Amino acid sequence: MSKMPGMSFLQFPEGFQWGAATASYQIEGAYDEDDRGLSIWDVFSHQPGRVMNGENGDVACDHYHRYRDDIDLMASLGLQTYRFSVSWSRVLPFGEGAVNEKGMDFYQRLVDGLLEKGIQPALTLFHWDLPQALQDKGGWVNREVADRFADYAALLYERLGDRVTRWITLNEPIIFTLMGYRSGGMAPGIRDMKMTAAAIHHAMLAHGRAVQAFRASGKPGEIGITNANTSYEPADDSPETARAVELARDFDSRLFHGPVYGKGYPESVLNYYASKGAPFPIESGDMETISQATDFLGVNLYSRRRILPDDSRGVGFRNAPPTLPLLPMGYEAAPHALGDYVRWVTKEYGRPRIYITENGVCDNTEPDQNGEIDDHVRVDLLRGFLSGLHGAIQDGADVRAYYQWSLMDNFEWAFGYSKRFGMVYTDFGNLRRIPKRSASFYSEVIARNGVDA
Ligand code: GBH
């Protein structure tokens, strides 16, 4: 990409890693092949009215069959690392018990293929596709799920731990618990406060147990959790608003990072749930388990929110109206949010090592008459996100890697295929992949280890 007037080149630190991220249910397809068991997303997406246009991940990007071509694609873009998740019910069809060797073999081949191309695998153990067999036993509401998760994790450390050295326990517990059990907009589609409190706590317990199992495995490498984050900003300068911003952070980042860093769940959140008759089911020793030392913090960040004080919901804050242009997802195009958030989290938790495990842009640009996809909104915003990230690193944040969400357009959960996040276009008619303008932009960022911004 040619340098534009007024831009300067922002060089990232030596050894900084550039990658892309995906998740099993969003790309694999082959939902009933090779003895895979069903997950809650198979069941949920087949229920009428759950997913936009009645779509599902039965085929998705058909990555299960096309993974070799996809690895070649990653190599051609110059990716240095690739974050993917394992479908729990593909390797353990019932979530526990006998291993499905055919499913396990897929991940062995995927990892080997990545390593052959010099791409470091970063493996997420859980990106929302809980085995339906475990949901039938209560899912995240049943405390035993934490032990099942640790057993599943131990199996993967055992089978892949000689080749995978970067492990992520959970992807965004805030989303799969609150959307899964409180708003019901995602699988398993439940709306119940008490179940939500239990799901949150058991998810965090599962994280802690999986970290313990990793240390016990003696495998080399690093492990951490990935949380969803939003950068909170005061909508005005009043002290009441400043206080409301802290409450918004309590109910989001601090609820999930706090227990991992030994600070526990925020009092404000515990009190709120207790006042609704939904106390967190914390047993003795749980907080120690959850605060097992991790090696890095996975940060997913897409946007910001402006906050105002408000007591009507009992939480003390509300969202102020947006002031920036909205993306198709309904949230603001806020490229400064990434640097701001990284600065905040660095200060709040004593400069943890950070991997940006997801950052990206929904831009639904379709191919033009020449078949080219000029997703300039994505390119401009990525430039802005990366420039903010560079600033945060200059200010002392320990950020070592950046994964763009996503490698290719895929199944965007309850939005089905209507929202495109890929730097590679997926034609869902014939499953062809076509790199977009953002893919060449990103290749150049990788090649130069920096960005013009
Ligand atoms: C991620 O979730 C998922 O991990 C991934 O599977 C998904 O495909 C990807 O995002 C793209 O959607 O809501 O106004 O506070 C992201 C969940 C959405 C939570 C944006 C924070 C911030 C803006 N995040 N949200 S706002």
Side-chain angles (χ1 to χ4, degrees), residues 26 127 171-172 230 302 305 331 358 405 412-413 421:
Q26 296 181 270
H127 199 128
N171 181 70
E172 302 188 342
T230 298
Y302 288 88
R305 260 192 244 167
Y331 47 74
E358 285 180 33
W405 184 275
E412 181 55 32
W413 306 112
F421 276 86

Side-chain angles (χ1 to χ4, degrees), residues 23 34 37 48 78 94 99 124 126 180 200 243 274 281 313 328 345 449 452:
D34 291 341
F94 300 100
V99 178
T124 306
F126 182 77
I200 292 172
R243 165 96 190 113
R313 290 182 305 150
V345 84
N449 192 30
D452 284 319

Side-chain angles (χ1 to χ4, degrees), residues 17 35 84 87 92 98 111 120-121 123 128 143 170 229 242 259 261 275 295-296 316 338-339 366 383 410 442 449:
Q17 285 182 307
D35 301 325
F84 65 97
S87 157
L92 292 170
V111 165
Q120 183 185 353
L123 190 157
W128 307 356
R143 187 178 165 91
L170 303 177
N229 306 282
Y261 288 102
S275 77
D295 302 301
F296 62 85
L338 182 58
E366 290 286 330
R383 229 187 256 292
N410 56 47
Y442 195 53
N449 192 30

Side-chain angles (χ1 to χ4, degrees), residues 3-65:
K3 192 164 163 165
M4 294 206 258
M7 285 191 168
S8 58
F9 181 65
L10 305 175
Q11 179 80 63
F12 276 66
E14 211 186 307
F16 191 88
Q17 285 182 307
W18 299 97
T22 63
S24 46
Y25 190 71
Q26 296 181 270
I27 66 165
E28 285 180 3
Y31 82 104
D32 65 348
E33 223 173 294
D34 291 341
D35 301 325
R36 178 181 176 277
L38 293 182
S39 82
I40 58 173
W41 270 94
D42 296 297
V43 173
F44 184 79
S45 64
H46 280 264
Q47 292 166 351
R50 296 294 205 179
V51 174
M52 213 175 262
N53 305 316
E55 288 164 340
N56 58 57
D58 289 3
V59 177
C61 301
D62 193 34
H63 172 74
Y64 188 74
H65 298 114

Side-chain angles (χ1 to χ4, degrees), residues 226-227 229 297-301 341-342 345 354-358:
T226 280
N227 282 322
N229 306 282
L297 179 64
V299 167
N300 290 359
L301 187 123
Y341 186 78
V342 165
V345 84
I354 294 171
Y355 299 138
I356 306 301
T357 41
E358 285 180 33

